[in-house]
Amino acid sequence: MSNSTHFGYTTVAEEEKVHKVAEVFHSVAAKYDIMNDVMSGGLHRLWKIFTIAQAGVRPGFKVLDIAGGTGDLTKEFVRQAGKTGEVWHTDINESMLRVGRDRLLNKGLVTPTLLCDAEKLPFPDNYFDRVTVAFGLRNMTHKDQALAEMHRVLKPGGKLLVLEFSKVSELLQKPYDLYSFKLLPVMGKLIANDEDSYRYLAESIRMHPDQETLKGMMEQAGLEKVQYFNLTAGVAALHTGIKL
């Protein structure tokens, strides 16, 4: 029998979740950045700027951007790593990857682009100086396996950075729930003509491990010096860890 997992608040077979998540991102790819701006009031751009700063990519670095989507992080890493660096833009969703690849090319940035599963990374051990995943971990079926893979491909001394929606402070909980479950699906319908996908995105945030739980999962995967930074009262959080 198939193992079950969560797709938002619904319990589904693991293989069914993979297809359902793919459908969500095929649907929203073309309007993904616009919706991110609307949903977060542009704050996602500040969160990504903070993540890029914490990554500290230098010329010559090898960087893996997992669930790179529309390429916001990849774009900056390509510029920072320079001609001597190596930056991989990857995603499991072909539609998201294509949008990101085209945007990178339109900016004159040529870098390897690869369709791949974060739970089965096609890279050798101890290869990358930095591995990043922004707003992608919560959609993965086996988060522990994905984190173990990220640890595996990091060089000793390399850093993993996980930017993800997280658990908000109690003061914000009620207005945040109202926004997520009442307003967000309506905006998804008006802007992207897709109410259901944005309802799933709101639910997936609630099912994602909170800050301390994710910290423990990263430590279990073998990462050291794990810490997290709450962003906008915990609406998002950046977790970082080092492979020693």
Side-chain angles (χ1 to χ4, degrees):
M1 293 181 64
S2 298
N3 293 324
S4 61
T5 188
H6 295 288
F7 177 75
Y9 289 161
T10 306
T11 300
V12 298
E14 288 184 350
E15 59 269 24
E16 186 180 357
K17 176 175 179 174
V18 173
H19 295 299
K20 285 182 171 291
V21 170
E23 289 171 2
V24 167
F25 286 95
H26 284 313
S27 174
V28 304
K31 297 289 184 69
Y32 186 75
D33 282 349
I34 295 173
M35 278 302 299
N36 274 350
D37 282 331
V38 172
M39 286 190 301
S40 70
L43 286 171
H44 77 102
R45 298 182 183 275
L46 298 179
W47 301 334
K48 289 172 181 174
I49 289 170
F50 180 74
T51 300
I52 291 163
Q54 289 296 315
V57 171
R58 299 194 297 273
F61 268 26
K62 293 179 179 178
V63 182
L64 173 60
D65 188 12
I66 295 172
T70 55
D72 286 348
L73 297 188
T74 304
K75 174 183 64 177
E76 296 305 320
F77 293 149
V78 170
R79 290 170 174 164
Q80 292 173 351
K83 294 182 179 180
T84 59
E86 182 181 329
V87 180
W88 286 81
H89 171 236
T90 73
D91 204 294
I92 196 172
N93 187 274
E94 185 177 355
S95 297
M96 293 291 291
L97 193 69
R98 187 181 296 114
V99 169
R101 177 204 61 193
D102 291 349
R103 290 185 177 178
L104 290 167
L105 291 174
N106 287 342
K107 293 181 180 296
L109 301 174
V110 179
T111 201
T113 297
L114 181 67
L115 189 71
C116 75
D117 184 349
E119 297 176 16
K120 302 171 185 176
L121 293 172
F123 300 103
D125 297 353
N126 307 315
Y127 191 77
F128 292 101
D129 298 284
R130 298 289 184 270
V131 174
T132 63
V133 54
F135 305 114
L137 184 64
R138 76 181 187 282
N139 297 306
M140 297 175 191
T141 304
H142 304 104
K143 297 175 180 62
D144 54 348
Q145 184 173 325
L147 290 169
E149 278 288 272
M150 296 174 204
H151 175 268
R152 178 184 67 79
V153 301
L154 272 172
K155 293 178 180 179
K159 180 187 283 189
L160 170 64
L161 300 100
V162 181
L163 176 62
E164 189 54 87
F165 291 109
S166 201
K167 185 174 178 61
V168 300
S169 68
E170 290 188 11
L171 289 175
L172 279 183
Q173 190 65 61
K174 287 186 178 180
Y176 186 57
D177 284 347
L178 176 65
Y179 169 77
S180 298
F181 295 110
K182 298 297 183 182
L183 296 181
L184 183 56
V186 173
M187 289 191 294
K189 183 176 182 179
L190 293 175
I191 297 172
N193 195 30
D194 189 343
E195 182 176 353
D196 290 342
S197 290
Y198 284 91
R199 182 174 290 109
Y200 158 72
L201 292 175
E203 292 176 1
S204 71
I205 293 168
R206 301 315 191 278
M207 300 304 294
H208 185 67
D210 64 19
Q211 289 89 327
E212 283 294 326
T213 303
L214 181 54
K215 179 177 183 285
M217 291 173 68
M218 290 175 65
E219 291 170 340
Q220 188 67 33
L223 291 149
E224 305 282 348
K225 300 183 179 179
V226 179
Q227 60 181 331
Y228 60 84
F229 305 87
N230 279 322
L231 308 174
T232 317
V235 172
L238 173 66
H239 285 68
T240 66
I242 306 294
K243 179 175 179 176
L244 298 180

